[in-house]
Structures are given as structure tokens and as C-alpha cells.
Amino acid sequence: MKFSLLIDGDCSNSANPATRYEEIIREAQLADELGFYAWGCPEQHFAFPHMTTSSPDGLLATVAARTERIKVRFSAITLHKWNHPLAVVERLSMLDNLSRGRAELSTARGNDVPTMNAFTIDPEKTRAIWDDSIRAIGHILRSQDDFSYEGAFWNIPNINKSLAPKTFQAHPPVSVVGASATSCAAAAQFGLGIHFLDNYYGYDYIQGCVDAYRSTEKNTEGIFESVTDHMGFYVPSPLCASTREDALRDGAVQAIPWFQSILEQSKPLLKQPGYEYTDALGKLEEHHTDIDWMRKHTPSVLVGTPDEIIETATRMSEIGVDELLLRVDGFGHDLHMRTIELIGKHVIPAMEPVSSSAAAT
């Protein structure tokens, strides 16, 4: 089981975005020192003050320059029409060289209605555009000396030029964000890792997603030369404290509003084609202020002492998840540093025997 950070640049507890970015860099440096696997930054739009990473490249490059071991990951780039596949690979390759082979790419179809409206994206076409974009990205990564491509949406002519720079790694890991068993199976078919969430549905739902990914033959589409076989679970509101009382009290400040925001975000999507899977969220509304219920029901609310987080992480490892992507953001810098330190010093070392045992089997 690996532990990673995923940061939206939440500056609701900071003076301004510039101050928050400075804090984020210090948090990334601590995570690097304590053995976290990856540090990720997404492309998010129009969600100030909770999300301020509309252009994540600069922050990723700065973290790469200030750290030594931790992976630096686009988490995720939305493959809409403004993100040309060739430009996405160029950005990935630049980061891969700056970090000397630590770059990773996670992609997303995109499900934010205001963003789709602002950039005039047709929700009915997002799946098809993502499909063609990921095929183009796979082709460019395979053929960095001749990346011409012709697909349903993208046509890249042969210009007799090579990618500049070429990637530092032979093949940086590539994943996709999903939220259903169908998405997980599709990721496997495409040869991608999956970064999935359960939208608070609980452990049975998670098991179904894992089973769908693990049981599907990998890379049947033949898009990528190297398969990324990986299941990461996104935790939107993790907080670790020395006592359970402190964890529940401090964790509720972020976990409850985040849960409510997921509910509100999902309501407009119910009217859009292809997003019907969010219907079940309505059944969870009655528990939207009960953090203890949420903590027991789903690892999406990962709040507790190091021992309690070890217990949850062990359960997730046994289910088949190999990475927890922790959004340690929005609580305030001091609580972020405390959570990173407690997980780094107590949880990560305790999980190493679990990871070794899982690898042996």
C-alpha cells in the first residue's frame, strides 16, 4: 500500500493563493522526507477558494525541484478540446525531465458542469473526446520520433520532427480517474491505471470496482506499449490526529462540507446523459452531518488516529487497492503538517509488512 498526496490548492484557511502555494511546497517536502509515494496536482477551474490549480504545471515543476524521491503527478488533466494530446505529452515530458523520471500522468473525462459550460464542452461528447485523446497520447508515447495520428477528433500531421524533449522514462505511468466498476474495467482494457472514488457508497461498492479492474484483461485495445497496472483510491477528506476525539472534531470541518459539495455537484449531472451512476447519492443525504457514520461506512472519510488509519488502509489493501491518494488540503497548514507527519512516521512503516505480504501472494 502506497500513500500519496493530492492537492487542490485550497486556500480557504490561508491569506491568499500565493501563501497557500508556499505552504503546499513545504508539505510536499515533508511528504518526500517521510516516504510518501507521490504528490499530485489536478487541473481545476472556477472553484475559488477551495480549488486554485487551474494551471498545475508551475506548482508541479516547483515541487519536483524541491524534492528528491516523491513522484510528481498530473492528477488529473481533463482531456477536453483545449488540452491537445500532443501538448499534454509535451507537458508530461518536460516534467519528467525536470524530475529525472518521476513524472506520472492521470487523465479525466471531466464532470464539472460550470467548466463544461465555460469552455463550451458538450457533455455528450466528453467520453468520445477522452477516448480519442488517450489513444493519441498512447501513440505519441510509443512513437516519439513520428507522432502523426489520425482519429475521430484529433488529426496530427507528420511534420518530420521528434518530440522535444522526449520523455526521461521509457514510459511514464498513465492513469485515468473513474467512479464506477464500468470505468475501472474500461481503464484495464485501455492499459491504464485507475484512480477511483466511491462517492461515499462504501466498501461493497469499492470491492465491485476492484473486481472489475482486476478481472479485466489489460490493454486489449493495444494503445500503450507498457501497461500501468495500478488501483489508487481517492480520499477527499483525510485527517490524522493523536486522539480520535481530535480527529473527528477537526476532520468534520472539512469532511462534512466536502460530502455536501459532492451531493450538490452531482445533482446537475443527473440531468446529463452518461452520468446516471450518481443517482444513489440521494440515499446518503440523511447522514450528511454524521461524520462517525461516514467514517465507518466509507474510507472516503479517513479520519482517526494512526492505528485507525492503519486499520482502514489494511482493509483497503486486502480488497485490492494499492495506493491511497490523500487530499490533505483545506484544514489549515498546521493540521496538514500534523497529518503528513503522523502518517509518515506511524502509518507508512506499519503498512510495509502488509505491502510485502500482498506482493508475495
Side-chain angles (χ1 to χ4, degrees):
M1 175 65 73
K2 299 185 289 289
F3 294 82
S4 299
L5 298 182
L6 192 154
I7 304 302
D8 290 319
D10 191 327
C11 62
S12 53
N13 287 294
S14 300
N16 50 53
T19 299
R20 180 69 193 116
Y21 298 152
E22 292 174 356
E23 295 171 348
I24 284 170
I25 293 165
R26 291 196 294 271
E27 293 162 13
Q29 288 174 311
L30 180 61
D32 183 49
E33 294 169 6
L34 294 176
F36 280 72
Y37 173 74
W39 183 92
C41 185
E43 175 190 0
Q44 301 280 17
H45 300 274
F46 316 118
F48 183 86
H50 301 295
M51 299 175 182
T52 64
T53 55
S54 55
S55 182
D57 300 61
L59 200 51
L60 282 158
T62 303
V63 168
R66 303 282 184 87
T67 57
E68 296 180 3
R69 294 170 296 276
I70 200 166
K71 306 291 185 181
V72 282
R73 178 188 284 157
F74 288 98
S75 286
I77 291 179
T78 49
L79 297 183
H80 288 324
K81 62 183 181 182
W82 72 82
N83 277 327
H84 192 290
L86 180 55
V88 170
V89 176
E90 286 182 324
R91 292 159 64 189
L92 173 64
S93 182
M94 187 78 175
L95 182 64
D96 200 35
N97 280 274
L98 283 169
S99 65
R100 300 192 66 81
R102 290 186 282 139
E104 298 189 0
L105 172 65
S106 182
T107 68
R109 168 187 171 191
N111 65 358
D112 182 67
V113 173
T115 298
M116 288 190 281
N117 289 340
F119 288 98
T120 63
I121 302 298
D122 184 348
E124 294 189 42
K125 294 182 179 179
T126 58
R127 190 183 299 277
I129 294 174
W130 177 89
D131 182 290
D132 197 43
S133 297
I134 203 68
R135 292 176 188 276
I137 287 170
H139 173 75
I140 296 165
L141 286 173
R142 288 198 319 267
S143 308
Q144 298 186 29
D145 287 312
D146 176 16
F147 45 75
S148 59
Y149 174 83
E150 185 172 347
F153 286 92
W154 300 108
N155 290 289
I156 306 172
N158 185 351
I159 60 171
N160 296 312
K161 295 286 186 179
S162 298
L163 197 67
K166 296 181 181 180
T167 57
F168 189 89
Q169 302 174 78
H171 196 299
V174 183
S175 300
V176 62
V177 174
S180 67
T182 301
S183 297
C184 291
Q189 291 172 345
F190 276 78
L192 298 166
I194 181 75
H195 293 158
F196 76 107
L197 59 158
D198 72 334
N199 278 329
Y200 303 92
Y201 298 160
Y203 286 98
D204 289 343
Y205 183 87
I206 293 168
Q207 186 67 72
C209 289
V210 171
D211 291 344
Y213 184 80
R214 298 299 183 196
S215 63
T216 301
E217 186 177 351
K218 303 297 185 293
N219 202 27
T220 55
E221 297 285 332
I223 297 170
F224 290 92
E225 191 171 65
S226 177
V227 174
T228 303
D229 188 356
H230 156 60
M231 290 206 78
F233 182 80
Y234 172 60
V235 182
S237 48
L239 191 103
C240 190
S242 299
T243 69
R244 185 166 177 267
E245 291 74 21
D246 287 346
L248 290 177
R249 182 195 65 237
D250 295 335
V253 174
Q254 176 78 359
I256 291 175
W258 187 268
F259 183 27
Q260 293 171 336
S261 74
I262 294 294
L263 292 173
E264 291 304 313
Q265 182 186 46
S266 298
K267 288 176 183 177
L269 284 175
L270 299 179
K271 303 175 184 178
Q272 302 292 343
Y275 290 95
E276 294 81 1
Y277 64 83
T278 54
D279 282 330
L281 280 173
K283 300 176 183 179
L284 303 175
E285 287 191 270
E286 62 184 287
H287 300 288
H288 72 277
T289 61
D290 187 349
I291 188 171
D292 197 39
W293 178 87
M294 290 190 286
R295 182 186 67 83
K296 296 173 183 176
H297 174 72
T298 169
S300 285
V301 181
L302 186 64
V303 296
T305 64
D307 286 343
E308 288 171 325
I309 290 180
I310 290 168
E311 181 180 354
T312 300
T314 300
R315 182 174 182 180
M316 292 293 282
S317 179
E318 291 170 347
I319 285 174
V321 171
D322 56 59
E323 182 182 354
L324 295 180
L325 300 93
L326 309 177
R327 185 188 182 272
V328 183
D329 207 357
F331 293 103
H333 181 56
D334 289 343
L335 291 181
H336 301 159
M337 295 293 274
R338 183 190 71 184
T339 291
I340 293 168
E341 182 174 12
L342 288 172
I343 291 176
K345 289 185 176 180
H346 302 287
V347 178
I348 291 177
M351 290 301 298
E352 288 176 354
V354 175
S355 300
S356 298
S357 176
T361 57

